Amino acid sequence: MHKFLVFTAAAIVAAFLSGCGYNDLQRQDEQVKSGWSEVINQYQRRADLVPNLVATVKGYAAQEERVLTEVTRARATVGSIQATPELINDPQAFARFQAAQAQLSSALSRLLVVAEAYPQLKSDQNFRDLQSQLEGTENRIAVARNRYIKAVQEFNTTVRSFPTNLTAMLFKMDVKPNFSVENEKAISAPPTVDFSKPAPAPAPAPAPAPAPAPAPAPAPATK
């Protein structure tokens, strides 16, 4: 009799959890975590390319110290943020992560634009390989971010919908932060870099030469 009651109670609980969306929330939460892992993986892949890329550019354009420093600092900022699974449940930490990645994206864009001014650098095989790897990684990042965005949208919709919102509140499952539209626009916007150098100031015009003194009048002839 006891076993029967336990079995019945378990069946009732299972039916309740299934009907209230608990299983959907768990499935979607796992999709979000999986999507986030792929985002982190691709961002890490990009960060790993930065040191070699900076070193290669520096070999041909050491005078571009400001841009090289910006990329190095941006990478250091990205590395200082612990991209743990808990980060996707912390809107403030997620915003800091998003801002750091956007900063690195912008710095890398400026670095590649700078490279356009150095034909020898552009023809370097190592640089071309690194640039190709970076472009491929940026594409993978875009795909991973898109999958994560969709997974979060699905999860957040379930969390906000009735009656699954009651289940979410019961199990303390809140909406998750997502990549913002403003950030997507900022990342896709190409940086503006002006390589034109200011024209040198015109040299002052030479002072006009003094007018020649009038010739002295001839002395009168003597008889």
Side-chain angles (χ1 to χ4, degrees), residues 10-32:
I12 293 174
V13 170
F16 169 77
L17 294 178
S18 177
C20 68
Y22 177 82
N23 291 340
D24 289 337
L25 286 168
Q26 293 299 320
R27 174 181 55 79
Q28 293 167 6
D29 185 55
E30 289 301 320
Q31 288 177 343
V32 170

Side-chain angles (χ1 to χ4, degrees), residues 37-197:
S37 295
E38 183 60 21
V39 169
I40 295 300
N41 181 48
Q42 297 306 330
Y43 272 134
Q44 184 59 51
R45 178 187 177 94
R46 180 175 70 173
D48 291 341
L49 292 172
V50 170
N52 287 337
L53 186 62
V54 169
T56 303
V57 173
K58 190 174 183 179
Y60 290 90
Q63 65 271 27
E64 303 291 346
E65 182 178 356
R66 181 181 61 83
V67 178
L68 294 169
T69 300
E70 286 179 358
V71 175
T72 302
R73 287 179 178 173
R75 182 184 184 273
T77 301
V78 166
S80 68
I81 299 176
Q82 297 296 323
T84 61
E86 290 75 19
L87 187 146
I88 59 177
N89 296 317
D90 185 342
Q92 293 182 346
F94 188 89
R96 289 193 296 270
F97 173 86
Q98 183 176 215
Q101 295 294 347
Q103 182 184 9
L104 180 56
S105 295
S106 179
L108 284 170
S109 295
R110 287 192 292 273
L111 183 67
L112 294 178
V113 171
V114 163
E116 294 295 320
Y118 298 89
Q120 289 183 333
L121 171 60
K122 289 173 60 179
S123 63
D124 181 81
Q125 183 62 47
N126 187 42
F127 175 77
R128 292 206 305 268
D129 290 344
L130 288 169
Q131 186 178 25
S132 177
Q133 292 180 53
L134 181 61
E135 291 172 352
T137 301
E138 293 290 356
N139 290 335
R140 292 186 183 94
I141 288 174
V143 172
R145 282 166 61 100
N146 188 52
R147 288 174 179 169
Y148 175 79
I149 288 170
K150 290 181 178 178
V152 171
Q153 287 176 340
E154 183 180 6
F155 176 84
N156 288 348
T157 299
T158 303
V159 167
R160 291 192 175 107
S161 301
F162 182 83
T164 50
N165 63 329
L166 301 178
T167 305
M169 286 189 294
L170 178 64
F171 291 96
K172 298 181 180 180
M173 303 178 75
D174 202 356
V175 294
K176 299 182 185 296
N178 209 343
F179 291 105
S180 63
V181 175
E182 290 77 10
N183 182 255
E184 295 293 319
K185 291 179 180 179
I187 290 177
S188 61
T192 302
V193 180
D194 186 7
F195 286 110
S196 61
K197 297 181 179 179

